[in-house]
Amino acid sequence: MDEAGRGPLAGSVFTAAVILGDDHGIEGLADSKVLTPGRREQLSEAIKQRALAWSIASATVAEIDEHNILKATMLAMRRAVEALPVLPAEALIDGNRVPTGLPCAARAIVRGDALEPAISAASILAKVARDAELVALDASYPGYGFAVHKGYPTPAHLAALAELGPCVAHRRSFAPVRAQVEARQINLW
């Protein structure tokens, strides 16, 4: 399992779980951050076709704001495992934390997205799904540049946030968004 979208100011956090066979035949699996968007898309399709099982789950902006980003990520990871059509013997998780309440054994692997092919595959599926959400948010909330920066706090995103104020896709519990909400004395939620 791996996640995408813990650091952005907007959008859901996505997780994916992937079970690969020893002979999966998917060339080029790597941490999604080192792949081009086009290559991630290609690999995403190959993963969905060749994996023994896969699932994608998320935690919403409201859940992130209610629980915090770490707990929301763990919730999304649990959802991803529970959504698999086959229960794995053990879940390998990128990072240094394991979600509680998983229906199987689990082990955290620091830099697992660069070390374990199944985690690399999960990294790719989560990133492609999250990027698709941000492209859709860009169409619904023009002016923020979500399709370009994917919700990360780039200078362009921070400038748009200051000019336009936050929209419902923004995580109000994140400091730059919270500051804009407080400065404008508004409650979008």
Side-chain angles (χ1 to χ4, degrees):
M1 281 193 294
D2 200 2
E3 57 74 28
R6 284 182 60 177
L9 304 179
S12 302
V13 62
F14 279 77
T15 62
V18 176
I19 301 174
L20 293 176
D22 291 334
D23 60 347
H24 58 78
I26 306 169
E27 295 293 325
L29 290 176
D31 176 1
S32 66
K33 292 182 287 300
V34 302
L35 300 169
T36 65
R39 185 66 179 135
R40 283 193 298 263
E41 290 282 345
Q42 292 171 341
L43 286 168
S44 176
E45 290 307 313
I47 293 161
K48 290 175 180 179
Q49 292 174 5
R50 297 181 188 158
L52 298 176
W54 61 273
S55 67
I56 299 170
S58 64
T60 66
V61 170
E63 290 170 323
I64 293 166
D65 286 339
E66 179 182 346
H67 300 294
N68 80 39
I69 188 60
L70 177 60
K71 290 179 183 175
T73 302
M74 296 295 121
L75 173 63
M77 285 187 171
R78 192 169 66 244
R79 288 174 177 162
V81 170
E82 291 170 350
L84 285 168
V86 177
L87 187 64
E90 181 180 43
L92 303 178
I93 300 160
D94 182 51
N96 61 2
R97 296 177 191 247
V98 172
T100 59
L102 291 178
C104 61
R107 179 168 39 114
I109 301 174
V110 175
R111 296 198 27 82
D113 51 5
L115 301 171
E116 291 287 338
I119 296 176
S120 297
S123 168
I124 292 163
L125 291 187
K127 177 71 171 144
V128 168
R130 181 171 152 72
D131 284 357
E133 181 192 58
L134 271 289
V135 168
L137 287 174
D138 190 65
S140 297
Y141 303 100
Y144 292 99
F146 291 139
V148 176
H149 54 64
K150 306 300 189 275
Y152 283 92
T154 64
H157 187 188
L158 294 173
L161 185 61
E163 180 183 336
L164 302 171
C167 70
V168 296
H170 281 100
R171 301 171 179 178
R172 72 174 188 250
S173 58
F174 280 47
V177 179
R178 185 175 54 247
Q180 287 297 322
V181 169
E182 290 170 358
R184 295 164 189 271
Q185 298 181 354
I186 57 172
N187 185 1
L188 297 174
W189 302 270

